[in-house]
Amino acid sequence: MTTALFSHPDCLQHVNPPGHPEQVARIKAIEAALANPIFDGLDRRAAPLGAEDAIRRAHPKAQIDAIREVIPDTGWARIDPDTTASPGSWNAALRAVGGVCAAVDAVLAGEVANAFVATRPPGHHAERANAMGFCLFSNIAIAALHALETHGLNRVAVLDFDVHHGNGTQDVLWNESRVHFASSHQMPLFPGTGAAHEKGAYLQIRNVPLRAGTGREAMQAAWEGEILPWVKEWTPELVLISAGFDAHRADPLAGLHWTTEDFGWITHRICDLADDCCGGKVVSTLEGGYDLEALADSVGLHVEVLMERGA
Ligand SMILES: [Zn+2]
């Protein structure tokens, strides 16, 4: 078995204004890193366009229509101070949804051991009725609901190690008892949610805020001490990762001090969880990460670990 890599050139056509940190160059840096021969064993697949039916599980029709209608013919349409749409944003957003849903399909079908989805725009800030924080649709929550509704799963875990809280994922899944959502994130920081007392309608959400300036020790305590045992006890049938790499010490948008090696460690620990609970079934999708060199190195190590664990 191997690791699948889902991507699509359409994801280069979602273009933010000059100087915006969520830039096309992020995908190019990742592609360059994954061109190394050590990644020749990846099962490289094109991310399909996501189905509107799948998106409807997370977002009301009016919100989907609003995104479609805001896409400009030229230039940019501003959705909020951080979030813009360009002419290519609609197809890019559908590839980001479709890639992670197809990755779920491939892993659950046993075609591959695990998968990484290198798409953009990211998704974990997109709430049910509110695109924000560089995100248009809630990619990972859509994938979790896709796994429940089309594959008949009953327990899906969504783990988010992006430095920002996945407020959108939390919003979409707040009333969903069949998904456990756990996140570590810097706090206080955008978007302002993610306090430990935010636990979901079924106590199925676990938020572990981390203080600015902390690094490996606090990260490992959060994951080994709190998140991973809590998820393991629930024995998920599939593990999804909101893989943001902006907790890296080099990242310009935040103040945690994780190293590239820390992303290898956390990937191993999540694979341990998946090995214990569900035959190693892991689907990881790109969220943040804005220092191009740190992003490329960290994604490279993340995928290298997925390949090692999926072999
Ligand atoms: Zn982030």
Side-chain angles (χ1 to χ4, degrees):
M1 288 262 274
T2 186
T3 295
L5 173 68
F6 285 84
S7 62
H8 198 283
D10 281 356
C11 293
L12 303 172
Q13 301 303 319
H14 168 61
V15 181
N16 281 311
H20 195 291
E22 204 294 283
Q23 52 183 314
V24 171
R26 300 177 63 232
I27 293 288
K28 292 189 171 171
I30 290 169
E31 284 176 351
L34 298 182
N36 187 303
I38 65 170
F39 298 107
D40 283 353
L42 284 170
D43 181 343
R44 293 168 191 260
R45 301 189 181 194
L49 293 167
E52 188 159 334
D53 286 353
I55 303 172
R56 280 292 299 279
R57 296 190 185 105
H59 302 282
K61 183 171 188 306
Q63 173 65 10
I64 301 170
D65 291 343
I67 299 284
R68 185 174 14 227
E69 285 157 18
V70 81
I71 305 292
D73 293 331
T74 59
W76 289 282
R78 174 166 287 206
I79 294 172
D80 77 6
D82 302 319
T83 314
T84 51
S86 67
S89 295
W90 179 254
N91 279 349
L94 292 191
R95 298 290 178 189
V97 168
V100 67
C101 289
V104 166
D105 294 340
V107 168
L108 291 178
E111 297 168 13
V112 292
N114 53 36
F116 181 69
V117 185
T119 53
R120 53 183 288 282
H124 75 151
H125 295 308
E127 299 179 341
R128 276 173 294 183
N130 189 31
M132 60 178 277
F134 317 164
C135 301
L136 299 181
F137 296 127
S138 188
N139 305 326
I140 199 91
I142 293 168
L145 296 169
H146 171 76
L148 297 174
E149 300 300 339
T150 70
H151 293 279
L153 299 194
N154 294 303
R155 295 184 309 282
V156 175
V158 176
L159 307 180
D160 186 330
F161 58 69
D162 189 281
V163 78
H164 303 96
H165 179 239
N167 62 296
T169 309
Q170 173 167 297
D171 179 60
V172 172
L173 299 174
W174 187 264
N175 292 305
E176 179 50 76
S177 62
R178 297 169 295 172
V179 181
H180 270 34
F181 171 56
S183 172
S184 74
H185 42 270
Q186 182 182 327
M187 202 172 181
L189 188 68
F190 179 91
T193 51
H197 64 75
E198 297 167 26
K199 294 183 174 179
Y202 300 92
L203 303 180
Q204 86 285 18
I205 291 173
R206 185 98 177 208
N207 284 304
V208 185
L210 301 170
R211 294 163 68 110
T214 62
R216 178 174 301 165
E217 196 175 343
M219 180 276 284
Q220 293 193 351
W223 285 83
E224 274 194 319
E226 295 191 55
I227 292 173
L228 293 167
W230 177 74
V231 176
K232 185 177 171 182
E233 191 179 9
W234 189 63
T235 59
E237 300 162 295
L238 173 68
V239 176
L240 306 182
I241 307 176
S242 263
F245 299 89
D246 41 9
H248 197 285
R249 65 192 333 152
D251 198 274
L253 295 197
L256 293 189
H257 288 175
W258 298 14
T259 64
T260 300
E261 290 68 34
D262 290 329
F263 290 102
W265 180 89
I266 202 166
T267 308
H268 269 299
R269 296 294 79 74
I270 292 172
C271 287
D272 289 344
L273 166 77
D275 281 350
D276 288 343
C277 296
C278 55
K281 295 186 187 72
V282 172
V283 171
S284 175
T285 193
L286 180 66
E287 300 283 1
Y290 304 100
D291 179 89
L292 296 179
E293 189 178 342
L295 175 67
D297 290 348
S298 301
V299 169
L301 184 55
H302 179 63
V303 173
E304 200 178 326
V305 172
L306 288 176
M307 290 177 77
E308 176 189 332
R309 300 297 298 261

